[in-house]
Amino acid sequence: MEVQGPLSRVVLLGTGGTIAGHAESVSDNVGYRAGALTIAQLLGTVPTLKGLEAEVMEVAQVDSKDMGLPVWQRLVQQVRQCLVRDEVQGVVITHGTDTIEETAFLLQWVLRPRKPVVLVCAMRPATAVSPDGPQNLLDAMAVASAPGMAGVVVVCGGRVHGAMDVRKVHPYRLDPFSSGDAGVLGQVEEGRLRWFRQPPVTDTPADSDLLTRLLSADALPRVHVVPSHADADPQLLDLLLAPQAWPKDRPLRGLVVEATGNGTVHERLLPALRDAGSRGIAVALASRCADGAIASHPGIEFEVFDGLSVLKTRLALALRLLG
Ligand code: SIN
């Protein structure tokens, strides 16, 4: 196993997830407690990383289904502080698979890092007969120290996904992610990174105002997802849009419609959505299709964040409304 570059220049941040999960039985791959092990304990389970003098920090120990602003704030702050240090080549973050795509998106959107920020996870707990976490962690370390690597990526099952494209598409497979039409960025082969396309380097600097607002926010602006589907019920929107539905100090600020196909919306939902827009509630569309992006055309009435999934659109809108 060849890992490129000095591993000690990679900082490891722990947030929990199945990769740090503990089950009572070694044969139990699903009934475990996510985030049970510390990042230091996790390192100890990987023979080739044992004794590595890497800098390790525990940001959280959560099941990522419970991810939210307080952990994101701590994580963004820690990653930022690590990346400004000249001696740090990159950051590896252990995370649960369930919301890793949202955390990856958030980190890329607000930090736009020019060094590698590699999120890594596992589908089996650390206590499994054959856990996938140790190899994924080794692969993540290889990616974080690979020459030319920059930006936020997710590494799992030997494949490297860009933050903007990655989605969890399977609840059980050891390789549960897809990058859709964009495809994976590359794959790790025996500690070497084989690129399939360019890493997501951006020349646009991070928006320092957005960062400040994110780090000082008590909550993200309230943005909810509304699905458009056959037999859609407009009463759901009536309930969401009722003036008394939300506290005055944290009103509903935005809606993301999980739209059919190329951004179409059930006719029963349209009147309330138009009304919401005219009352200053931001309305955005994202397609419920797993792959592809909404192709722009004059009939699209609401905003579209090009190429983003429903959940990433929700975050992008909430971050914009933070301003
Ligand atoms: C989690 O997302 O924290 C639990 C599930 C997983 O990591 O696969």
Side-chain angles (χ1 to χ4, degrees):
M1 166 100 204
E2 182 189 342
V3 178
Q4 301 148 346
L7 285 183
S8 54
R9 283 165 43 191
V10 173
V11 179
L12 270 151
L13 305 179
T15 72
T18 296
I19 192 167
H22 179 273
E24 291 309 319
S25 154
V26 292
S27 56
D28 191 351
N29 287 326
V30 290
Y32 54 85
R33 186 160 65 85
L37 272 63
T38 64
I39 180 79
Q41 288 171 323
L42 200 56
L43 268 190
T45 66
V46 188
T48 43
L49 295 181
K50 220 182 258 177
L52 175 76
E53 292 195 10
E55 201 175 319
V56 166
M57 278 178 247
E58 201 70 52
V59 174
Q61 279 179 261
V62 293
D63 185 323
S64 83
K65 72 178 175 56
D66 301 324
M67 188 55 70
L69 186 64
V71 178
W72 278 339
Q73 286 170 321
R74 288 203 294 278
L75 188 60
V76 167
Q77 186 72 285
Q78 289 292 354
V79 172
R80 194 167 68 130
Q81 283 169 5
C82 291
L83 293 182
V84 294
R85 289 164 45 198
D86 287 343
E87 77 279 13
V88 172
Q89 185 171 354
V91 175
V92 169
I93 304 164
T94 54
H95 197 292
T97 60
D98 283 342
T99 61
I100 202 168
E101 65 203 67
E102 287 157 85
T103 300
F105 172 79
L106 180 99
L107 291 171
Q108 178 64 35
W109 196 259
V110 301
L111 293 176
R112 302 183 187 274
R114 286 160 190 263
K115 292 182 183 179
V117 175
V118 183
L119 288 133
V120 62
C121 50
M123 290 298 284
R124 291 180 182 156
T127 45
V129 173
S130 175
D132 51 332
Q135 184 63 54
N136 288 348
L137 199 49
L138 276 175
D139 290 349
M141 298 293 275
V143 172
S145 47
M149 176 59 213
V152 181
V153 295
V154 170
V155 170
C156 189
R159 306 206 299 163
V160 186
H161 300 264
M164 305 303 276
D165 304 310
V166 65
R167 278 186 191 202
K168 186 170 179 179
V169 294
H170 200 282
Y172 191 75
R173 244 171 24 204
L174 294 187
D175 178 11
F177 296 105
S178 166
S179 283
D181 289 345
V184 295
L185 291 168
Q187 74 188 20
V188 189
E189 299 168 356
E190 301 297 299
R192 281 186 179 278
L193 183 53
R194 182 189 296 276
W195 289 115
F196 296 148
R197 58 187 179 94
Q198 286 297 308
V201 186
T202 170
D203 285 336
T204 319
D207 176 347
S208 56
D209 287 347
L210 173 63
L211 207 49
T212 308
R213 289 193 295 270
L214 177 70
L215 293 177
S216 58
D218 293 330
L220 284 176
R222 188 163 249 138
V223 177
H224 284 298
V225 176
V226 177
S228 183
H229 50 78
D231 195 36
D233 184 352
Q235 199 162 350
L236 175 65
L237 277 172
D238 293 344
L239 292 169
L240 281 173
L241 294 167
Q244 70 280 11
W246 309 107
K248 282 201 169 36
D249 60 347
R250 199 167 163 243
L252 182 69
R253 301 282 311 282
L255 290 172
V256 175
V257 185
E258 185 180 21
T260 32
N262 195 46
T264 51
V265 179
H266 198 294
E267 61 184 0
R268 287 194 208 143
L269 302 182
L270 280 171
L273 290 171
R274 290 179 185 134
D275 182 48
S278 69
R279 285 165 42 193
I281 294 169
V283 182
L285 297 178
S287 177
R288 66 185 206 171
C289 294
D291 287 339
I294 293 176
S296 148
H297 70 92
I300 293 192
E301 286 186 51
F302 305 106
E303 187 176 9
V304 173
F305 289 79
D306 191 28
L308 293 188
S309 67
V310 172
L311 297 174
K312 289 175 186 174
T313 297
R314 193 193 83 84
L315 268 179
L317 185 57
L319 290 171
R320 196 183 68 204
L321 292 169
L322 254 186

